[in-house]
Amino acid sequence: MEQDTRMRMSYWEQIKRSSWAYPTIILSFYGFFANFRPAEPFLTPYLIGPYKNISEEQVTNYLFPIWTYSYLAVLCPVFLLTDFLLYKPVIVVQGLFLVTNYVLLCFAQGLAAMTFLQINYAVVTATEVAYFSYIYSVVPVDQYQRVTGYLRGAMLVGFTLGAALGQVLVSVVGLSYFYINAINLGTLCVAFALSFCLPMPQHGLFFRDQSHSAQQGETRIEAGGGWCSRTIFRQAGQLLWKSFRDSYSSRQLIYWALWWALATAGYFQVFNYIQLMWNHIEPSSTSSVYNGGVEAITALMGAAVAFSVGHVRLRWAVWGELVLGVFSAVSAGAVFLMGLTSNIWACYAGYITFKASYMLMITIAMFQIAGNLSIECYALTFGINTFVAVLLQTLLTAIVVDDSGLGLDIVTQFIIYGSYYAAISLLFLVRGAYTAGRHHCGTGQASVQDQKEDPGAEVLSSVQF
């Protein structure tokens, strides 16, 4: 017995000494528990029901816009502080704010408390950048693909099982929303505790000390030492500018980044307000609400279509923009269906179609952008694209949703979101038709240029999701 215990301890010590296994295991478990949220698919019924007693109009036109504005305000500072503080403190902060979020949901009452909750949750979403950035700073480059797959898998499994459990607790057990939120609070406390077990990275992607820069073969700037020295900030600024130029030097990558920002802004709006649409169509008892089951199915569908990308063979430089236009049209049709139907099952089907379409194309877009970029460039590009998406989402919210703007009802909002995706579709269909026509009717020089700008026509199957 004692010998078995020693052997297990010795094996765990070997894992802890590994250059990548220990932080990957801990962060994967953190990602699982942080995304294991059985109460999240039922947030809107919980807020507008007897537990919080907030009106649907207040949730739609006041509370949810607070999250959007707060997210925009904290996103850029958090992105830079994440690298400067070496990731782990930001992950710990995210875990703390997740716990605080569900403490408020369980025990706080009144509109003011729920307003603070939206600001609190904006910090949670803004700090998500630390989840993947952390692991890239503590594992060797040759393990990036493997650990990315593990971390995405942990998030997906956590979200799917959490949504499925929430549905079982609502439909089968008949548990009240309050107790489901209490269970959620417990799982997030586990995630918060796990965040302290992560080892501290020795360097960031942009803010690096001179010894690390020298080890990586980078130009060493001689100046006064110190982590917070002027030299460190100057080096970080130079690397940020270089990464920006490298990221957006290709016309092809700019098109993918543009679609990423435009489509993600619309996705955020649909995802944020879909529960209000479901409640509008069928404001029924908890036993007939299937939000959790739909979210679980949607997550599995998203994983399936993302995995299928690895088996696609396509000249993305030629056909990519046209494909973006086609799937944007699918998204537009799905959003119109959600907004115009009075059947809850048709609305569920539209949401599943919409999210699967978005997950498929965002996976391709992420790979197309990351395929020819260093991890520093990819981190910056992800940050910039997300910031532009949130900026566009904020404009949509201020004009369409907010009481100080048009303050439209939920049905009219979804009709506008469908029109928004239709405009994206038209833009990329026209551009895609021009690109494909130029390739087939133009000179050989155009074909050569397309091949140079295609980041992943032949190696798409190597990406991990």
Side-chain angles (χ1 to χ4, degrees):
M1 184 75 174
E2 292 181 0
Q3 186 176 2
D4 290 343
T5 303
R6 287 196 208 98
M7 289 179 64
R8 285 195 294 269
M9 290 179 62
S10 175
Y11 178 69
W12 183 243
E13 286 297 323
Q14 291 177 10
I15 292 177
K16 291 186 71 173
R17 293 192 188 100
S18 168
S19 61
W20 67 273
Y22 175 73
T24 303
I25 290 172
I26 297 299
L27 196 60
S28 294
F29 275 108
Y30 172 84
F32 173 84
F33 284 105
N35 287 275
F36 188 88
R37 306 179 198 173
E40 188 168 280
F42 308 97
L43 174 62
T44 296
Y46 182 64
L47 290 176
I48 66 179
Y51 305 97
K52 300 301 177 184
N53 200 27
I54 300 173
S55 71
E56 184 175 332
E57 290 74 20
Q58 286 175 317
V59 172
T60 306
N61 304 122
Y62 173 73
L63 273 184
F64 285 178
I66 293 294
W67 171 83
T68 302
Y69 303 147
S70 304
Y71 187 18
L72 179 66
V74 300
L75 181 60
C76 190
V78 165
F79 175 76
L80 295 175
L81 281 173
T82 296
D83 195 75
F84 179 72
L85 296 176
L86 300 181
Y87 314 108
K88 178 180 175 177
V90 179
I91 295 176
V92 173
V93 167
Q94 184 189 50
L96 174 62
F97 275 63
L98 276 168
V99 171
T100 305
N101 212 63
Y102 279 85
V103 169
L104 291 169
L105 278 172
C106 288
F107 305 111
Q109 296 293 333
L111 189 61
M114 295 302 100
T115 300
F116 179 75
L117 181 145
Q118 296 299 318
I119 299 171
N120 183 89
Y121 190 64
V123 177
V124 171
T125 49
T127 51
E128 286 177 352
V129 66
Y131 182 72
F132 284 104
S133 301
Y134 168 88
I135 205 66
Y136 295 141
S137 68
V138 295
V139 304
V141 175
D142 60 348
Q143 299 294 340
Y144 279 0
Q145 181 174 320
R146 181 186 296 186
V147 299
T148 300
Y150 292 155
L151 298 185
R152 289 195 184 280
M155 292 175 65
L156 174 67
V157 172
F159 181 83
T160 305
L161 293 182
L165 175 63
Q167 190 63 61
V168 170
L169 293 176
V170 167
S171 300
V172 180
V173 181
L175 205 62
S176 72
Y177 291 142
F178 172 81
Y179 289 108
I180 298 174
N181 276 277
I183 293 171
N184 213 145
L185 176 59
T187 63
L188 293 175
C189 286
V190 175
F192 180 47
L194 284 169
S195 67
F196 288 97
C197 300
L198 292 167
M200 192 71 178
Q202 300 303 309
H203 62 86
L205 295 175
F206 300 107
F207 292 93
R208 303 174 177 179
D209 60 23
Q210 296 176 20
S211 60
H212 174 74
S213 297
Q215 291 172 3
Q216 296 296 320
E218 299 168 355
T219 303
R220 183 171 181 173
I221 303 175
E222 298 295 340
W227 172 241
C228 293
S229 69
R230 187 180 303 173
T231 300
I232 293 295
F233 283 97
R234 186 166 64 248
Q235 278 186 311
Q238 291 171 350
L239 186 54
L240 280 165
W241 175 243
K242 179 180 181 300
S243 299
F244 178 82
R245 287 187 304 170
D246 291 346
S247 300
Y248 296 97
S249 59
S250 166
R251 186 183 67 227
Q252 192 72 26
L253 292 185
I254 290 175
Y255 295 142
W256 286 101
L258 176 63
W259 181 89
W260 178 338
L262 291 171
T264 300
Y267 170 78
F268 283 162
Q269 286 298 90
V270 172
F271 180 78
N272 285 349
Y273 293 94
I274 187 59
Q275 289 185 33
L276 285 160
M277 174 58 73
W278 291 337
N279 189 76
H280 170 79
I281 294 174
E282 190 166 315
S284 49
S285 63
T286 57
S287 61
S288 60
V289 174
Y290 298 99
N291 300 5
V294 172
E295 289 289 4
I297 293 171
T298 303
L300 291 176
M301 287 284 292
V305 297
F307 179 77
S308 69
V309 173
H311 303 280
V312 174
R313 291 291 183 273
L314 194 66
R315 291 287 303 280
W316 294 104
V318 178
W319 302 107
E321 294 158 21
L322 206 55
V323 172
L324 289 174
V326 169
F327 277 93
S328 296
V330 172
S331 297
V335 177
F336 278 129
L337 174 63
M338 287 184 270
L340 297 174
T341 187
S342 59
N343 184 294
I344 189 63
W345 296 104
C347 190
Y348 284 152
Y351 179 68
I352 292 171
T353 302
F354 168 79
K355 196 166 182 180
S357 174
Y358 173 80
M359 289 300 176
L360 172 65
M361 293 314 299
I362 197 66
T363 302
I364 296 173
M366 291 171 71
F367 178 78
Q368 290 294 308
I369 292 173
N372 281 357
L373 299 178
S374 67
I375 193 62
E376 295 93 341
C377 294
Y378 179 67
L380 182 64
T381 305
F382 177 84
I384 292 174
N385 290 348
T386 303
F387 179 79
V388 174
V390 176
L391 182 61
L392 291 171
Q393 183 200 5
T394 302
L395 291 174
L396 280 172
T397 301
I399 296 171
V400 176
V401 183
D402 201 309
D403 274 333
S404 59
L406 297 176
L408 299 174
D409 63 89
I410 192 66
V411 173
T412 308
Q413 286 182 39
F414 269 68
I415 293 173
I416 290 176
Y417 302 150
S419 303
Y420 173 81
Y421 271 100
I424 296 174
S425 173
L426 180 62
L427 173 65
F428 280 91
L429 284 173
V430 171
R431 173 66 201 179
Y434 168 76
T435 301
R438 187 189 64 171
H439 171 75
H440 287 287
C441 302
T443 63
Q445 183 178 359
S447 299
V448 172
Q449 182 66 22
D450 286 338
Q451 291 176 3
K452 287 180 180 179
E453 292 186 343
D454 190 344
E458 301 299 330
V459 293
L460 189 56
S461 61
S462 67
V463 70
Q464 287 276 0
F465 304 105

